[in-house]
Amino acid sequence: MSTNQSSPTRLIALLSLGHACVDVYQGAVAALVPFFVSERAYSYAAASGIVLAASLLSSVVQPLFGMLTDKWAMPWLLPVSTLVGGAGVAFAGVSGSYALTLAVVAVSGIGIAAYHPESARVARGVSRGSHTAMGWFSLGGNLGFATAPLLVWAVMATGGLHASPLLIVPALAGMALCVAALRGVGAPAAATVAALASRATGRDDWASFLKLSGAIVCRSVVFVGLGAFISLYARQRTGGGDVSGTAALFVLYLGGAVGTVAGGRLATRHGRIPVVQWSYALTILAVAGVVFVPGPLLYVFIACTSAGLYVPFSLHITLGQDYLPRRVGTASGVTLGLTVSVGGIASPLIGAIADASSLRTALAPLIALPAIGWLLLCTLDEPESLEAATGRPLTTAQPTPVTDTASHP
């Protein structure tokens, strides 16, 4: 189908669903941790090392993919990286070897790293500067995260870790969605996104971009740290079993669905910087509730934490792209990938503290991180949009554009 036959709404829907299929595998790694602990008797530190393996290599190579997409349009990365990301997680439970498990999970991280810069660049072009449309694209990833615990639990129920090859199914679906979306966008339109970014008249504001990235790192450590251990922590604090732990992880991920959509709409009304600042401020109280409030009320604070962490999620992406108008791929790779996955580097430290003391003690320092992020964000100003910097929308498509008052694509 040509670009003129594919509306931006349809393309955003396809990209969002493809994003969901990819980010299933980011959420699946954390969802597998309790099963590695129960079936292989891994310590907290050893189990969190698997989360680190998924994050560390991804964090290193993600900016490289971003720089490559700044130079060349590489839409083929979307279906290929989707398959690689899924295959790594699918084989994580096949071998009892810890080293092999780390290796295949690291391969999955590379696939995820390759996907995000190019997909964010293409989505920004299709969205034509709409915060809401980018929110829907980000929502897809959040829903992938949210469904990962349920998907992993269902697969593990069929045969434990040895059933993990069944986890390849979302990757196959994601490949098909990516191919359909790229046919709608068209190669010329995809290439134009990179070409227009290279003509941006604004200068790259590295100082603001680095402050934004620092705030996202703080968010990442909180989110990944809770993602790795909230299932085990909920079992302790509520006295429940596997179901209570899976429910806690599901709430942590699903709350992001509400937060991401709300973030795009709030930014349209109030501006991106104020919305991001208030989100980080409110997250401080929500994380404190997760750490200190026992019983079923814990789930309320998990939901509030999730919403607070995700309201600014899509806004991080567009702010980063606007701070670096000449390096859209690099900005996308950092804001959507590097600073998201880098939180996994802190997971082994959290696990080591938990082994030495308790999970509650290990999670308590996470309360301070949204405060640090808020302080960094208080020094930022609203940047000129990339569309204004280029003097034209980031797409060659002719159909009716997605607007900030659009409904679900």
Side-chain angles (χ1 to χ4, degrees):
M1 182 175 291
S2 69
T3 303
N4 289 338
Q5 294 174 307
S6 298
S7 72
T9 298
R10 175 180 179 275
L11 295 176
I12 285 292
L14 290 172
L15 289 168
S16 178
L17 291 171
H19 194 187
C21 292
V22 172
D23 278 6
V24 159
Y25 299 106
Q26 293 210 72
V29 176
L32 285 168
V33 165
F35 298 97
F36 284 122
V37 171
S38 60
E39 292 190 31
R40 297 185 181 174
Y42 288 168
S43 66
Y44 290 144
S48 60
I50 297 173
V51 178
L52 173 62
S55 303
L56 184 58
L57 193 55
S58 175
S59 300
V60 172
V61 303
Q62 193 126 218
L64 299 179
F65 283 110
M67 288 185 282
L68 288 173
T69 59
D70 280 333
K71 294 182 177 294
W72 304 285
M74 296 189 291
W76 55 268
L77 270 179
L78 271 63
V80 172
S81 60
T82 299
L83 179 61
V84 173
V89 170
F91 288 103
V94 172
S95 171
S97 167
Y98 185 70
L100 184 57
T101 300
L102 292 178
V104 295
V105 169
V107 168
S108 175
I110 293 175
I112 292 169
Y115 172 86
H116 283 104
E118 181 71 4
S119 66
R121 186 180 61 77
V122 173
R124 178 67 183 263
V126 172
S127 72
R128 304 173 74 155
S130 165
H131 299 318
T132 301
M134 284 299 289
W136 288 120
F137 169 70
S138 299
L139 173 64
N142 302 343
L143 291 177
F145 261 106
T147 57
L150 301 180
L151 177 65
V152 168
W153 180 80
V155 170
M156 296 301 103
T158 67
L161 288 172
H162 291 295
S164 67
L166 294 174
L167 294 173
I168 194 66
V169 173
L172 299 178
M175 286 183 63
L177 290 164
C178 288
V179 170
L182 293 174
R183 285 178 177 173
V185 173
T192 300
V193 179
L196 286 176
S198 70
R199 299 174 196 162
T201 57
R203 66 180 181 85
D204 291 332
D205 184 354
W206 282 101
S208 295
F209 181 77
L210 291 175
K211 292 176 184 177
L212 174 69
S213 298
I216 303 174
V217 168
C218 292
R219 175 210 177 271
S220 174
V221 173
V222 174
F223 185 77
V224 177
L226 289 177
F229 297 106
I230 196 66
S231 181
L232 296 169
Y233 187 64
R235 296 182 196 182
Q236 295 178 5
R237 299 292 282 175
T238 65
D242 289 347
V243 173
S244 66
T246 299
L249 193 58
F250 178 70
V251 171
L252 178 66
Y253 292 164
L254 186 63
V258 178
T260 301
V261 176
R265 296 188 180 277
L266 289 171
T268 301
R269 178 174 296 183
H270 303 291
R272 291 175 292 181
I273 295 297
V275 171
V276 171
Q277 290 171 343
W278 277 106
S279 298
Y280 276 70
L282 294 175
T283 301
I284 302 170
L285 298 176
V287 176
V290 170
V291 174
F292 294 113
V293 175
L297 193 58
L298 171 70
Y299 292 99
V300 175
F301 284 100
I302 293 173
C304 292
T305 298
S306 178
L309 291 172
Y310 268 113
V311 162
F313 189 79
S314 65
L315 307 181
H316 289 152
I317 303 168
T318 58
L319 281 169
Q321 291 172 334
D322 291 344
Y323 283 132
L324 300 183
R326 297 178 181 273
R327 294 173 174 82
V328 176
T330 300
S332 301
V334 173
T335 56
L336 188 58
L338 171 63
T339 47
V340 175
S341 59
V342 76
I345 297 175
S347 294
L349 177 60
I350 297 173
I353 296 173
D355 285 331
S357 54
S358 68
L359 268 177
R360 183 179 179 183
T361 300
L363 296 177
L366 299 182
I367 300 170
L369 291 173
I372 297 172
W374 177 80
L375 290 173
L376 290 169
L377 293 167
C378 282
T379 64
L380 296 181
D381 296 318
E382 184 77 25
E384 181 183 31
S385 73
L386 186 57
E387 289 71 28
T390 59
R392 58 189 294 194
L394 285 180
T395 181
T396 57
Q398 299 301 319
T400 303
V402 178
T403 67
D404 279 322
T405 58
S407 61
H408 192 299

